[in-house]
Amino acid sequence: MDLALVRSSPLLRRFLVHRALGAVAEAVLTLLQCVLLASVLAAAVEEGTGAALHAVPVPLLAAVVAGRAAHAWWDRASAGAAAARYKEELRAELTAAVTAAAVRGRGPRPASVVALLGRGMDALEDHLTGSLALLPQAVVVPLAVTGTVWAADWVSGLVVLVTLPLVPLLLALVGLHTKARTEAQWAVLLRLGGYFLQALGGLATLRVFGQEGRAAESVRARAAEHRRATVRTLRVAFLSAFVMDSLTSLSVALIAVPVGFRLLDGAMPLSTGLAVLLLTPEAYRPLRLLAGRFHAAQEGRTALAQVRALLDGAAAGPALVRERPSSGPKPLPDPARFPLVLDRLDVGHAPGAPALTGLSWRFEPGRSCALTGPSGAGKTTLLRTVAGLLPPLAGDLRVGGVSVVARTAADRAAWTDRIAMVAQQPHLFALSVADNVRLGRPGAGADEVWDALEAAGAADFVRRLPDGPATRVGEGGAGLSGGERQRLALARALLRRPSLLLLDEPTARLDGGTEQHVLRALEAVAGRATLLVATHRPAVAEHTDTVLRLDSLRPAPVPALEETRR
């Protein structure tokens, strides 16, 4: 029993309660069927068929048999339905956690996520409908049957009582070995998926350099490694199943042979002997079913451990903003009217590896500031931290003396509503040009969209599109150049009318004429919003009020800062 799994899901707790009640019903039906059938057979042998029909009410026996058949149908249907609902719940939770981690720049490898969402969830269904669903039945039914056999014939009950614990003991021993094999198999599978994804992503480069053959050989080698790991796991499964069947068959034989001799000697009533012979296999049957599903469930347990590791990693990682008690109900000031202050701020993607440490700075409201420095100095990381996409590792971020970090969820939502950011590689959706721009402010009208396109220097190329702003673009902006995507993203940000505008290399993909157009638009924005621009372009820095140089490629107690004002 995976207690952590059960505690984490109310759905599974309800499922196990239903399975436990179903196990009690199955135990009662099994006992009734065996006892009634033994009475009918004994009466048929001793007194004839007619007497047998009168010895036990036939409708009662038929009802019990029909009840077991209905229970078997419910057993499969309820387990499958619960597994489907839990998989849907877990997929949604995993997708949300991975998406949030990716937004923070800490997402796991895509190949691992795809493997878990696909094959991992299929394997998890075997765990839920197999070992977890059969566990209540494997506990309740053997105990009920053993007690009944003991009451009917204590010698046979003693044999069952001694041999029955050997089955779960063997399962535990096999499980220790199988767990390691299954984990190794999954590790190989995830490596195979990751390498295959990398090979596909770099296929054009590999073809240019004539190395696609070597990449294919590497994929084949990893596939062969996965095949060998799978065969090793299956070998253990087949051998353990053979041992399990042999053990339970010998246990039943240890009871059947003495009972047969005692029946021949007349030392045991026929009805009792038949009841013991019918009941004994039922004591081992749930454990044999559990053993048969055990190895398929092990892969599901391993996949579930991988899922929980991803979920725990996303939860243990820094949240978008750290939850601390709010200093009071005072709302966050407008960054267009109050200064934005960095107070001994450490920024980075993970604790222990900051990109910038001890950063203190004051951004004046309504002014523009250029963040410059070599690649890797932490410009993008700082922008993402100010935007709330990355939490600060230490220090504080304040607007008008009020902390942005220690705020409630509603306050943080109000903060993000005042911000617009254009990433270095902005994403466009498979929508029309106008709809992509209108994401900045969904209620904006057509004239406002055109004004934003004009301000971003995108109006000319949009007019040349087949359907103008109604032209649909592909996912990620397919069909547009890098500069066109950048200008549409800038138009989207300008349409938002932000109080704080964050730009990451806004003119990196623009020609000189378009760059000047964008710079004039940014100068117009700077008067009514605070503007932070990460850039390598001297022309962009010259159009800002302040230049903040981040010259440290590695973390240092205080980054080298240089301020120049026009």
Side-chain angles (χ1 to χ4, degrees):
M1 174 68 73
D2 190 343
L3 295 178
L5 170 65
V6 176
R7 281 194 294 265
S8 67
S9 174
L11 187 152
L12 290 184
R13 289 197 293 272
R14 293 193 300 270
F15 171 65
L16 283 177
V17 170
H18 295 160
R19 299 298 300 186
L21 296 175
V24 172
E26 181 179 0
V28 172
L29 291 171
T30 300
L31 296 178
L32 285 174
Q33 178 178 318
C34 292
V35 171
L36 292 175
L37 188 57
S39 299
V40 170
L41 293 176
V45 172
E46 294 175 344
E47 303 177 19
T49 306
L53 295 177
H54 294 288
V56 174
V58 175
L60 176 60
L61 180 58
V64 171
V65 173
R68 285 202 72 181
H71 180 272
W73 173 85
W74 173 86
D75 191 66
R76 291 191 297 270
S78 63
R85 289 195 300 270
Y86 182 71
K87 284 165 56 180
E88 181 181 1
E89 175 185 291
L90 194 61
R91 274 193 175 107
E93 185 179 0
L94 178 60
T95 303
V98 169
T99 302
V103 168
R104 295 193 295 264
R106 305 176 55 253
R109 293 180 302 171
S112 302
V113 177
V114 170
L116 291 174
L117 290 176
R119 176 170 171 173
M121 291 298 166
D122 293 337
L124 180 59
E125 183 171 359
D126 291 330
H127 172 46
L128 297 175
T129 60
S131 60
L132 192 64
L134 292 172
L135 194 56
Q137 178 184 339
V139 172
V140 174
V141 174
L143 291 177
V145 172
T146 302
T148 305
V149 171
W150 185 284
D153 179 39
W154 71 270
V155 176
S156 300
L158 181 62
V159 175
V160 174
L161 195 61
V162 171
T163 58
L164 197 62
L166 296 178
V167 179
L169 178 61
L170 180 61
L171 277 178
L173 295 176
V174 172
L176 294 176
H177 184 66
T178 305
K179 180 181 178 182
R181 289 292 181 92
T182 307
E183 288 176 350
Q185 177 192 1
W186 260 94
V188 173
L189 175 64
L190 295 180
R191 287 200 301 270
L192 171 63
Y195 187 82
F196 184 66
L197 183 62
Q198 291 178 7
L200 284 180
L203 188 59
T205 302
L206 292 172
R207 292 196 63 182
V208 168
F209 290 95
Q211 298 297 316
E212 66 271 21
R214 292 182 59 184
E217 287 294 333
S218 298
V219 171
R220 277 194 289 269
R222 284 163 174 79
E225 183 184 1
H226 177 253
R227 182 173 63 250
R228 289 191 293 269
T230 303
V231 170
R232 286 194 294 267
T233 304
L234 290 175
R235 186 184 300 119
V236 174
F238 292 148
L239 291 176
S240 62
F242 171 74
V243 173
M244 192 70 62
D245 288 341
S246 301
L247 174 62
T248 54
S249 298
L250 288 174
S251 300
V252 173
L254 286 174
I255 296 172
V257 173
V259 167
F261 282 116
R262 292 164 67 189
L263 288 174
L264 289 175
D265 292 341
M268 175 183 287
L270 181 59
S271 59
T272 302
L274 290 174
V276 170
L277 291 177
L278 290 173
L279 284 169
T280 300
E282 296 293 339
Y284 297 96
R285 186 180 61 84
L287 291 173
R288 292 181 69 171
L289 291 175
L290 182 62
R293 304 294 295 274
F294 179 77
H295 291 279
Q298 279 300 105
E299 185 175 3
R301 287 175 64 91
T302 303
L304 181 61
Q306 298 278 348
V307 171
R308 286 167 60 181
L310 288 182
L311 293 177
D312 292 344
L320 289 180
V321 180
R322 294 195 300 274
E323 292 286 353
R324 286 192 250 164
S326 177
S327 57
K330 183 180 179 181
L332 284 171
D334 188 347
R337 300 174 53 203
F338 296 89
L340 174 66
V341 177
L342 313 181
D343 184 9
R344 297 184 297 277
L345 198 65
D346 291 0
V347 299
H349 292 276
L356 289 169
T357 59
L359 180 59
S360 296
W361 196 258
R362 177 188 175 97
F363 298 102
E364 297 297 336
R367 307 292 293 275
S368 58
C369 179
L371 307 177
T372 65
S375 298
K379 301 184 295 296
T380 299
T381 306
L382 178 58
L383 288 182
R384 290 170 64 85
T385 302
V386 172
L389 301 178
L390 280 175
L393 303 179
D396 202 1
L397 176 68
R398 297 192 299 272
V399 179
V402 180
S403 174
V404 178
V405 176
R407 303 301 294 182
T408 65
D411 289 335
R412 295 197 299 270
W415 169 251
T416 55
D417 285 343
R418 295 170 175 170
I419 294 177
M421 181 174 180
V422 179
Q424 193 168 355
Q425 295 180 341
H427 184 81
L428 298 181
F429 297 88
L431 303 169
S432 68
V433 169
D435 288 339
N436 269 287
V437 175
R438 200 174 277 114
L439 287 174
R441 188 156 49 89
D447 292 340
E448 293 174 302
V449 171
W450 267 115
D451 290 343
L453 290 171
E454 289 279 3
D460 291 340
F461 87 82
V462 170
R463 289 190 183 94
R464 293 194 296 268
L465 294 176
D467 297 321
T471 303
R472 290 183 63 87
V473 299
E475 184 67 27
L480 301 176
S481 68
E484 289 170 343
R485 290 196 293 268
Q486 194 82 10
R487 279 177 279 174
L488 289 182
L490 180 58
R492 182 167 60 195
L494 295 176
L495 182 65
R496 192 174 177 84
R497 297 176 182 172
S499 298
L500 177 62
L501 180 58
L502 310 174
L503 304 175
D504 193 358
E505 299 290 352
T507 63
R509 297 176 179 85
L510 305 182
D511 57 69
T514 307
E515 180 182 54
Q516 292 300 317
H517 195 139
V518 170
L519 291 178
R520 286 194 295 271
L522 296 184
E523 285 182 341
V525 170
R528 60 178 183 269
T530 303
L531 181 63
L532 304 185
V533 186
T535 183
H536 286 98
R537 305 283 283 264
V540 177
E542 290 174 359
H543 281 75
T544 61
D545 302 311
T546 305
V547 177
L548 176 62
R549 291 192 55 83
L550 308 176
D551 289 331
S552 294
L553 286 173
R554 292 175 296 181
V558 179
L561 303 179
E562 177 185 339
E563 179 185 7
T564 61
R565 293 185 181 276
R566 291 195 300 167

